[in-house]
C-alpha cells in the first residue's frame, strides 16, 4: 500500500496508476540519508530515506522523506509492502 | 531498536541512555503530518511523522522526520520495535 502526501492507494493497479499519473515527465532524486532496520521475524526490512527531488524544469529542489517496508518473497527477492511519501515543505 | 541521525542503538537500556543524554533540557515538537499503515499479519503499525522541533532557547525550529514500528503486546498495548529519526537540514 502507498500513502502519497496523505492520499492512500491499495494494490498494485491503484499504485501504478497514481505513480504514472504524476504531472511531470522527469524527476531527479538526490538521496541524502538512508537508514535500515529489520522489521521482525518474517524477514522484512524497513528503509527510511530523505533527500531532495527536482521536478521537470523547476529550479529549486523539493525536500522529501519516504519509508518503505520490504518483505521477502523467495530467496533474495523482496516486494514493497508499505510505502509512505511526504514532501517536507520549507 | 533506534536509529538516531544514523547512529544505532539496540535494546531499552541503550536507547534510554541515548535519549536521556541529549544535550538540551527542553524540546517542543510541532507535528505537521502523521501517516499510518498496518505492517503485516502480526498486527503491527507503521507510523510516519514529519514536523519541526524547537530545542531549548534556539529561535529557529529544526525540521525532522521520524518513523515508528509499533507491535502489539496484549490487547490494546503496543511497544516500539523500530524507531528511525532524522533532522531535515535546510
Amino acid at each position: 500500500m502507498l500513502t502519497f502526501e496523505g492520499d492512500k492507494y491499495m494494490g498494485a493497479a491503484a499504485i501504478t496508476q497514481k505513480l504514472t499519473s504524476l504531472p511531470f515527465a522527469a524527476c531527479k532524486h538526490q538521496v541524502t540519508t538512508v537508514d535500515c532496520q529489520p522489521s521482525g521475524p518474517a524477514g522484512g526490512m524497513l528503509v527510511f530515506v530523505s533527500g531532495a527531488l527536482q521536478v521537470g524544469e523547476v529550479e529549486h529542489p523539493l525536500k522529501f522523506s519516504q519509508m518503505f517496508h520490504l518483505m521477502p518473497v523467495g530467496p533474495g527477492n523482496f516486494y514493497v509492502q508499505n510505502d509512505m511519501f511526504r514532501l517536507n515543505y520549507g
Side-chain angles (χ1 to χ4, degrees), chain A residues 7-50:
Chain A
D7 296 331
K8 294 166 194 141
Y9 304 89
M10 176 90 91
I15 291 171
T16 303
Q17 195 194 347
K18 171 60 184 174
L19 295 179
T20 56
S21 69
L22 291 171
F24 46 80
C27 181
K28 270 188 260 179
H29 285 72
Q30 185 181 353
V31 171
T32 308
T33 67
V34 181
D35 298 310
C36 293
Q37 289 184 0
S39 69
M45 181 72 71
L46 293 167
V47 185
F48 184 42
V49 180
S50 73

